[in-house]
Amino acid sequence: MPTFSAHDGTELAYHVSGEGSPVVCLPGGPQDSAYLGDLGGFSARRRLIRPDIRGTGRSAMPQDITSCRCDRLVDDVEALREHLGLDRMDLLAHSAGANVAAQYVARHPERVGRLALVAPSVRAVGLAITGDLRRETALLRRGEPWFPAAFAALEEIVAGRAAADSWQAVAPFSYGRWDEVARAHQGAEERQTNAEVVAAFGAEGAFDPDATRTALARFAPPVLLLAGEVDLGAPPRTVAEFTELFPNAELVVQPGAGHFPWLDDADRFVTAVGAFLG
């Protein structure tokens, strides 16, 4: 397992798969990058570099937990770039990893070649996803056998009355198909996530949306934003708003996909991302 030293001395691990020119792939969560796998076979086209966020996976827990705050994780991405000896790198980020990627672009725009944001979180740019939009997106799944219980749990969450089991109950909404593969993928999440790191990630001061949006408006390289058609976490309408913050960005909406589009239709995902990243 290759490792590198962060600027504060924390030893961080990363995974390498595939051949060709590298793409640094930032996981969401924040969590262990194992859930990304080979991104539906994208490793057949490019060499994937998947860092484990500090305090997760094979990466060490830092002495200072506040170093897990989103804006401070930018330094880990820069340390990885330096370790890999890349003058510029293509960057792919999923879900909450998009918050780190957006702030990395804001701070180090000259170090990014192409940027792909998959089912991106929008906290770093201050966009809001309303409860009504989540309901509207959820209703696209009304024909699924699990829908009644999952939608009832969603209503409780949106109303601020979430019970202990509400989040588990809405898990099917994250996947285009709630099958054995999806259930196994979702079941591994608890092992890949550190609650202390998650809390630190979004702590006060983690985001400066106005500054980040101003910086993204000046970022000229090509950007791809990919949304799943039925993803409650990053609904296409919100991802379209995110796309408009860049001067040179395109939006792809993957039909029938949830929050993990490479699992829902690997061929369609790899074709879309491959057409952009090569």
Side-chain angles (χ1 to χ4, degrees):
M1 176 68 61
T3 62
F4 66 101
S5 180
H7 295 158
D8 65 354
T10 303
E11 185 176 29
L12 304 179
Y14 63 98
H15 308 255
V16 182
S17 59
E19 303 292 335
S21 58
V23 179
V24 173
C25 304
L26 304 182
Q31 66 186 86
D32 179 346
S33 66
Y35 81 95
L36 293 174
D38 66 354
L39 288 173
F42 190 57
S43 59
R45 297 194 180 208
R46 298 286 296 268
R47 180 159 53 101
L48 307 185
I49 310 294
R50 299 185 288 107
D52 288 344
I53 301 299
R54 56 174 55 214
T56 73
R58 300 293 182 88
S59 289
M61 177 65 77
Q63 291 185 347
D64 177 9
I65 191 62
T66 65
S67 67
C68 295
R69 204 174 70 179
C70 181
D71 59 321
R72 297 184 64 182
L73 292 178
V74 168
D75 291 335
D76 291 349
V77 180
E78 178 63 359
L80 176 58
R81 182 198 64 79
E82 293 169 352
H83 168 77
L84 296 172
L86 300 173
D87 182 59
R88 299 178 75 194
M89 60 184 172
D90 288 342
L91 193 59
L92 181 149
H94 174 247
S95 191
N99 296 311
V100 181
Q103 295 192 74
Y104 182 85
V105 165
R107 202 178 305 172
H108 304 286
E110 74 286 356
R111 298 303 187 185
V112 180
R114 287 175 174 259
L115 174 66
L117 303 178
V118 177
S121 168
V122 294
R123 295 177 72 186
V125 293
L127 297 177
I129 305 175
T130 66
D132 286 343
L133 179 55
R134 294 194 199 274
R135 289 191 194 91
E136 179 183 328
T137 306
L139 286 168
L140 297 173
R141 314 293 299 279
R142 61 168 65 89
E144 303 278 357
W146 46 262
F147 177 83
F151 191 74
L154 176 64
E155 292 279 49
E156 293 300 303
I157 292 170
V158 169
R161 300 190 301 268
D165 58 351
S166 295
W167 296 102
Q168 180 62 35
V170 299
F173 283 123
S174 293
Y175 298 86
R177 295 186 308 277
W178 186 234
D179 54 15
E180 290 185 11
V181 172
R183 284 190 283 270
H185 189 265
Q186 196 276 330
E189 182 177 356
E190 185 174 348
R191 300 192 303 272
Q192 297 166 355
T193 304
N194 182 310
E196 189 178 9
V197 173
V198 171
F201 181 83
E204 185 177 356
F207 309 112
D208 185 347
D210 289 342
T212 301
R213 290 165 71 116
T214 297
L216 297 185
R218 297 193 297 261
F219 184 68
V223 180
L224 170 71
L225 292 95
L226 189 147
E229 179 188 20
V230 296
D231 183 10
L232 271 63
R237 193 183 307 168
T238 305
V239 180
E241 293 181 56
F242 201 166
T243 305
E244 293 173 359
L245 301 180
F246 296 93
N248 186 21
E250 62 175 304
L251 170 66
V252 170
V253 178
Q254 185 170 316
H259 201 59
F260 308 94
W262 63 90
L263 290 180
D264 297 323
D265 189 334
D267 289 344
R268 191 184 291 269
F269 176 82
V270 169
T271 297
V273 177
F276 177 72
L277 290 176

